[in-house]
Amino acid sequence: MMQSNTYSLVYSTCMFQKDLNRRLGLANLYPCSGPVNRRQWLQLGALSMGALCSGLRPGDDLLAAAKIVRDAQGHPLPELNDDFSVILFWANGGPSHLDMFDMKPEAPMEYRGPFRPIQTNVNGMEICELMPRLSRMADKFTLLRSLYHERAEHSGGTNRFLTGYSSVARNLPRSEFPDLGSVVAKHAEYAENPLPFYVANTPSYGAGAAYLGAACEAYMPMPNMETASGANRYEPVPIYQTGLGVGDLTISQGGVVDLGRRREVLNQLDRLSRDVDNTKMMSSMDLFQQRAAAMLSSSVAKTAFDLSLEKESTRERYGNTHWGKSLLTCRRLVEAGVRFVQCQATFRLKPETGRTSTWDDHSVNAHIFKSYQEKVPVLDQAVSALIEELYERGLDKKVLFIFCGEFGRTPLIRNQDASGRPGRDHWPQAMSVFLSGGGIPTGQVIGATSKRAEEPVERIMNSNCLLATIYQKFGVDADRSFLNNAGRPVPILTEGEPIRELL
């Protein structure tokens, strides 16, 4: 019976290819050499032959054919804005708005902490004294001080902030809805580019492509799956080449279907159930593999990750630190054509300061103020260097840099650790977001929080408003829906208006 099924499948796919060639006038140019592969069958076999023949020209490749079919069926995805990219420096764990960009020097000591604000080169805008370089270029960035959402756990907050939806589950390793980068990648699914459109250094706890599938996951040179586990003590993960030759520029199986299992499924094609096809697992994996192979064989990709090609003076400008090398690589990636780069802003503290490498500065994890004394000056150097280069290279209109985390920190300082050291807890009711470039109006502060930074009191905005703004800049229709794994249409966003001050 199995032999009969196999023969039937082979015969059917071969006849399909012959008929396709005949209808396209390619029978003599491309005679049937055997059955089409699984990806071709999934992408073309079940689609309208009439729609395909209406638009395909000789020489078009398979991805272009599939795109023409989908467009002809009334489901086109608009082209992305070619003049817009994003670098998201993700402060996973949640940075303290009170100790960086929304300081309250008149609040009681148990709220304001030990740091003092300094005046920037923009009248009335103040930031933390630990960022003198950034204070001198405030005319080149904008601060959002009035975003909020309702999820106070790390993965739930990340899912909420980056997808626009609250998850059903708590402490979920990967998101239940597509995150911002995955939605952008979906719109670029069939674009021809030697580099992927979405690159990250490692999975984020509570983020991911969800039902958009493996093809829309970020490409990660050297991921550490512990970063999606809720742990906060892992070593910072490079997005740059380390020179160690282990794992550099390879594609991890993390977040995608195991390749060994996929081969097993393909070898048992006759017994493949329709349910597996409905998940689009096979087609997305083939597309993922195709893009991975293209990236690994591309000289553009190899040079984009190679910091040794930069002048020593440029590397020194960013700093010989994990953050300096990370942001310099991010700049190189967007220059090479990557449209969305997400890099975790993790930092290895001195052991006596704290045990965490994220921004989750509870009292039990770290002495928050000693932690900031260590890492904020490093952030100041790396971010200021990136902003200067964006402007010097004419990228300030095209590349939007974002620094933020999933939420802010509690205004009230806590001392739960046995040592009595200070810390702050999770606080989604208020946060600060740092933005530069991307053609947005800069040198401004949007919104304000209460006297103790407990909640927004001016220009109050759901965090979805930032997502709506970025989608609009990319040319993505946030009202559009994608089918989830149950076959139900789910809009990209259901709430949130673009922030007019950023447009």
Side-chain angles (χ1 to χ4, degrees), residues 448-463:
T449 56
S450 57
K451 293 180 179 180
R452 297 177 179 178
E454 295 167 318
E455 59 185 2
V457 293
E458 294 179 13
R459 194 67 173 93
I460 303 169
M461 290 179 283
N462 183 304
S463 60

Side-chain angles (χ1 to χ4, degrees), residues 145 169 204 208 262 284 347 356 502:
R145 288 178 175 168
S204 293
R262 177 185 174 277
S284 65
F347 189 95
T356 184
L502 297 179

Side-chain angles (χ1 to χ4, degrees), residues 145-185:
R145 288 178 175 168
S146 56
L147 296 189
Y148 75 93
H149 61 78
E150 70 284 349
R151 293 300 290 263
E153 76 277 14
H154 289 297
S155 61
T158 297
N159 181 96
R160 174 67 178 82
F161 192 94
L162 292 180
T163 74
Y165 285 86
S166 280
S167 61
V168 175
R170 294 176 61 88
N171 303 318
L172 65 165
R174 304 293 280 156
S175 60
E176 294 176 351
F177 300 88
D179 63 20
L180 175 61
S182 297
V183 172
V184 173

Side-chain angles (χ1 to χ4, degrees), residues 23-196:
R23 290 171 182 260
L24 296 177
L26 304 177
N28 295 326
L29 294 175
Y30 301 101
C32 179
S33 58
V36 295
N37 63 34
R38 182 64 181 168
R39 176 171 59 87
Q40 291 170 313
W41 180 258
L42 287 170
Q43 289 192 342
L44 294 179
L47 297 176
S48 164
M49 182 66 73
L52 177 62
C53 295
S54 68
L56 188 63
R57 300 183 304 275
D60 284 338
D61 64 14
L62 181 64
L63 291 180
K67 183 178 183 298
I68 289 171
V69 173
R70 187 170 61 181
D71 289 357
Q73 289 181 321
H75 303 288
L77 284 175
E79 297 288 338
L80 288 177
N81 177 5
D82 288 335
D83 293 325
F84 188 70
S85 302
V86 164
I87 297 172
L88 174 58
F89 202 39
W90 182 246
N92 52 312
S96 170
H97 51 300
L98 280 93
D99 298 303
M100 297 186 73
F101 301 116
D102 191 9
M103 308 191 76
K104 304 293 182 181
E106 304 304 320
M109 187 65 184
E110 62 269 24
Y111 286 86
R112 73 172 184 260
F115 305 132
R116 304 299 294 175
I118 54 173
Q119 177 62 45
T120 68
N121 67 346
V122 172
N123 186 37
M125 183 194 295
E126 296 180 333
I127 61 175
C128 177
E129 61 185 326
L130 299 177
M131 297 182 281
R133 288 182 172 91
L134 287 174
S135 73
R136 295 191 290 269
M137 60 173 64
D139 58 318
K140 293 180 174 61
F141 63 79
T142 284
L143 299 177
L144 288 179
R145 288 178 175 168
S146 56
L147 296 189
Y148 75 93
H149 61 78
E150 70 284 349
R151 293 300 290 263
E153 76 277 14
H154 289 297
S155 61
T158 297
N159 181 96
R160 174 67 178 82
F161 192 94
L162 292 180
T163 74
Y165 285 86
S166 280
S167 61
V168 175
R170 294 176 61 88
N171 303 318
L172 65 165
R174 304 293 280 156
S175 60
E176 294 176 351
F177 300 88
D179 63 20
L180 175 61
S182 297
V183 172
V184 173
K186 180 66 176 177
H187 283 72
E189 192 171 20
Y190 295 99
E192 295 182 6
N193 195 317
L195 280 169

Side-chain angles (χ1 to χ4, degrees), residues 475-490:
V476 171
D477 181 4
D479 293 326
R480 185 186 179 90
S481 295
F482 294 114
L483 297 181
N484 64 14
N485 289 335
R488 297 187 179 91
V490 181

Side-chain angles (χ1 to χ4, degrees), residues 310 314 317-318 328 331 384-395:
E310 289 287 343
T314 301
R317 184 180 191 178
Y318 280 79
L328 178 52
R331 189 267 287 164
S384 61
L386 175 65
I387 293 174
E388 286 173 346
E389 283 222 302
L390 291 181
Y391 277 81
E392 291 169 1
R393 292 170 173 265
L395 298 173

Side-chain angles (χ1 to χ4, degrees), residues 139-298:
D139 58 318
K140 293 180 174 61
F141 63 79
T142 284
L143 299 177
L144 288 179
R145 288 178 175 168
S146 56
L147 296 189
Y148 75 93
H149 61 78
E150 70 284 349
R151 293 300 290 263
E153 76 277 14
H154 289 297
S155 61
T158 297
N159 181 96
R160 174 67 178 82
F161 192 94
L162 292 180
T163 74
Y165 285 86
S166 280
S167 61
V168 175
R170 294 176 61 88
N171 303 318
L172 65 165
R174 304 293 280 156
S175 60
E176 294 176 351
F177 300 88
D179 63 20
L180 175 61
S182 297
V183 172
V184 173
K186 180 66 176 177
H187 283 72
E189 192 171 20
Y190 295 99
E192 295 182 6
N193 195 317
L195 280 169
F197 274 59
Y198 181 18
V199 172
N201 64 328
T202 194
S204 293
Y205 185 41
Y211 46 78
L212 291 187
C216 297
E217 286 281 1
Y219 287 79
M220 308 171 203
M222 294 172 284
N224 175 3
M225 293 310 295
E226 190 178 9
T227 61
S229 70
N232 61 6
R233 306 181 195 181
Y234 52 84
E235 289 302 311
V237 181
I239 196 172
Y240 45 88
Q241 285 184 321
T242 62
L244 299 177
V246 179
D248 281 6
L249 293 182
T250 60
I251 300 301
S252 168
Q253 295 176 11
V256 301
V257 181
D258 180 81
L259 300 183
R261 180 179 181 278
R262 177 185 174 277
R263 284 191 293 268
E264 178 184 341
V265 171
L266 290 175
N267 289 336
Q268 301 176 19
L269 191 58
D270 296 313
R271 288 176 285 179
L272 190 64
S273 71
R274 182 170 297 181
D275 289 340
V276 176
D277 283 350
N278 287 340
T279 67
K280 302 179 182 178
M281 184 185 301
M282 295 297 102
S283 58
S284 65
M285 273 305 301
D286 278 316
L287 186 57
F288 187 94
Q289 284 183 294
Q290 184 185 49
R291 290 200 179 281
M295 185 184 79
L296 294 175
S297 63
S298 166

